[in-house]
Amino acid sequence: MSIASGFIAGQYYPSGSLVHRADPRVKLLLVIIFVLAVFLVKNFTGFAIVVVLLGLFVYLSRLPVILTLKGVRPLLFVLAITLLIHLWVGGGLRTGIFVDLRLILLVVGASFLTLTSTPVELTDAIESLLSPLKRIGVPSHELAMMMTIALRFIPALSTEADKIIKAQTARGARFDSKNPLARARSFIPILVPLFVSVFRRADELAEAMEARAYRGGEGRTRMHNLKMRSGDWVSFVVVIILLAGMVWVGRLPIF
Amino acid sequence: MLIEMMNVSFTYMPNTSLEQLALQSINLGIDEGEFIGLIGPTGSGKSTLVQLLSTLLIPTEGKIIFEGQEIGKDIDPRIIRKEVGLVFQFPESQLFAETVADDVAFGPRNLGLSEEEVDLRVRDSLGSVGLAYERYADRSPFSLSGGEKRLVAIAGILAMKPHVLILDEPITGLDYWGRTRVLRCIDELNRNGMTVIIVAHDMDEIAEYVDRVAVLSEGQIVLDGRPKDVFSQIDYLKDIGLDVPKTVELLMKLRDRGFNVTVESLGMQPAISAILAAVKEK
């Protein structure tokens, strides 16, 4: 458990594997298709194939298995409820298990993506994949930029929150009241300064960007250009075929 | 002795790959009523040291004695937090209440005091930082100037009536006016008997106020003494990446050129008189 403890679900885990080095657009598209495919599978044989395929991908990406499963843990309660509701209200055990399996595979698939791609790679991939939609007015660059900035500020804000908590503790603040209302109130002295600082930072960042003549995506060049290599194309096609086969078997009228 | 640090070491995130030794075998005694300047280059452990003194951090090794009682063993750290007021860096970023009075009242209310007592303390502490209660009490802290905000934050700590006041870089980022106001107020508090520890990077302003300087470098106390003795080690201080007050530097340079200046006091006025006297003599 030593790797998994202190590791946040969905955090990037560098291992330098083949999967890590693949084009993030391929990974993003394949994960989306994978999730859709999982919803089309309707028998246990199909789910067995899904699990084997996913296991193969995890093996190829040299991730500790426990990390890929970490995102499921907070979901356990929801899974249990889903199963119970299916047993009670109708639909039966089979559908209940299927729904649970789909949820688990969905979460594992998504964390597989974030474990093998850095946030920057992912936002680049989203920008690139959305760029054809620019013609109908979807601001793909701006959306990607917003995501990048949001991700970039998470560590800064957690440091800031830590500092404010310490400062208020030094003024005798306590956050361990038994009364839920009092406990909620005790967070005001942390949240207000945090929001003030978020707005201040946002303002400063906007000014700093404008001072460097940032004016959106128009005509911008980039430092790291995403480039599809032959290996990316091959793995894309191979995985698509595998997923198609999986769906075909998954819809056969067998167990 | 009021506070005594005995062989205190502190390591961040011990036993992990991110382990980092911040302080190493610190021995430091603080007497009642002292005004101490704690200086050191960035990353030397100043902030860690003051957080240890206010029990926000617990030493990984060694012990801290407060009035003869060992913190964490003979006495609850929470009691010490009441006795040792810590003003963080940029304390104005902790302001949150709708009015100045409410913000200053946050600490005393947390101590569970009666509303009359709280009100009394708010008036008292706003008075000690030189902000008139009538003018400031009902204003929003966010509408004040940078220097005023910082004074309000300091008042918020004073309202807890601490025995010792520790300020982490209290004048950083203020304009000349703000710096003078904050320093005068701290000096006044010390004259009225409060023990004050002030952490600073820029020694220029605080040199003339403090009566003792401790220098931290790479987690250890390397110099500790009267300001003029510490600052006479001009080469050593520069070596570890510290600036000496400009007055000291000027007086030293004049002395090297054969002027008979005495580096007795570190303030601006005494320096000017010393230089004038030396020039006349020549």
Side-chain angles (χ1 to χ4, degrees), chain A residues 12-33:
Chain A
Y12 180 63
Y13 181 87
S15 79
S17 78
L18 209 72
V19 182
H20 284 74
R21 279 177 281 134
D23 191 294
R25 285 171 297 185
V26 172
K27 284 185 270 184
L28 182 61
L29 272 182
L30 286 178
V31 165
I32 292 172
I33 296 169

Side-chain angles (χ1 to χ4, degrees), chain A residues 160 163-164 166-174 176 186 188-190 192-194 196-197 200, chain B residues 51 56-57 78 81 84 86 88-90 93-96 103-104 106-107 110 142 156-157 160:
Chain A
E160 182 99 9
K163 214 188 95 190
I164 295 170
K166 267 190 184 157
Q168 307 297 29
T169 313
R171 295 166 81 189
R174 301 185 54 177
D176 50 4
S186 72
I188 295 176
I190 293 167
V192 173
L194 199 57
V196 170
S197 111
R200 202 197 62 235
Chain B
Q51 287 185 36
L56 287 170
L57 298 174
R78 259 193 239 129
R81 266 177 228 163
V84 181
L86 173 59
F88 273 83
Q89 257 178 66
F90 302 109
S93 67
Q94 76 195 29
L95 299 174
F96 70 96
D103 209 289
V104 176
F106 180 66
N110 284 331
F142 298 105
I157 299 291
M160 300 182 70

Side-chain angles (χ1 to χ4, degrees), chain A:
Chain A
M1 279 304 279
S2 62
I3 319 170
S5 56
F7 202 89
I8 305 160
Q11 203 177 325
Y12 180 63
Y13 181 87
S15 79
S17 78
L18 209 72
V19 182
H20 284 74
R21 279 177 281 134
D23 191 294
R25 285 171 297 185
V26 172
K27 284 185 270 184
L28 182 61
L29 272 182
L30 286 178
V31 165
I32 292 172
I33 296 169
F34 170 81
V35 167
L36 293 176
V38 164
F39 275 90
L40 294 175
V41 171
K42 281 187 160 39
N43 59 38
F44 281 106
T45 322
F47 277 113
I49 299 175
V50 178
V51 172
V52 170
L53 273 182
L54 203 53
L56 184 73
F57 296 147
V58 172
Y59 173 75
L60 281 176
S61 58
R62 297 216 299 267
L63 294 173
V65 179
I66 194 152
L67 284 187
T68 53
L69 292 175
K70 225 192 165 204
V72 179
R73 241 183 95 174
L75 219 69
L76 286 176
F77 180 71
V78 179
L79 293 175
I81 294 285
T82 323
L83 196 60
L84 278 178
I85 288 179
H86 273 92
L87 285 177
W88 245 301
V89 186
L93 185 64
R94 196 182 154 91
T95 341
I97 291 177
F98 280 179
V99 171
D100 273 7
L101 275 174
R102 284 185 189 125
L103 279 174
I104 293 172
L105 290 167
L106 205 145
V107 170
V108 173
S111 44
F112 178 74
L113 181 67
T114 50
L115 282 165
T116 58
S117 329
T118 65
V120 175
E121 282 173 349
L122 281 180
T123 45
D124 280 355
I126 290 170
E127 176 175 358
S128 166
L129 289 174
L130 286 180
S131 58
L133 298 179
K134 252 188 214 153
R135 256 173 260 154
I136 59 163
V138 177
S140 65
H141 169 81
E142 281 71 13
L143 286 174
M145 181 57 101
M146 275 155 63
M147 273 184 66
T148 314
I149 292 172
L151 290 168
R152 151 78 183 72
F153 271 97
I154 290 173
L157 286 180
S158 82
T159 316
E160 182 99 9
D162 196 51
K163 214 188 95 190
I164 295 170
I165 289 172
K166 267 190 184 157
Q168 307 297 29
T169 313
R171 295 166 81 189
R174 301 185 54 177
F175 312 104
D176 50 4
S177 170
K178 286 263 177 357
N179 179 344
L181 198 72
R183 192 140 140 203
R185 278 175 61 108
S186 72
F187 282 97
I188 295 176
I190 293 167
L191 290 179
V192 173
L194 199 57
F195 270 92
V196 170
S197 111
V198 168
F199 285 121
R200 202 197 62 235
R201 273 169 194 274
D203 239 20
E204 283 170 5
L205 183 68
E207 250 166 57
M209 284 167 81
E210 269 178 4
R212 276 171 254 178
Y214 175 80
R215 42 194 316 184
E218 221 49 54
R220 257 176 97 77
T221 54
R222 34 181 62 251
M223 189 157 148
H224 302 288
N225 275 310
L226 292 178
K227 218 173 145 202
M228 290 286 280
R229 282 161 303 191
S230 48
D232 291 317
W233 287 111
V234 172
S235 43
F236 186 67
V237 174
V238 169
V239 176
I240 291 277
I241 292 171
L242 286 174
L243 290 177
M246 172 187 103
V247 171
W248 181 70
V249 176
R251 295 181 77 81
L252 288 176
I254 49 172
F255 179 72

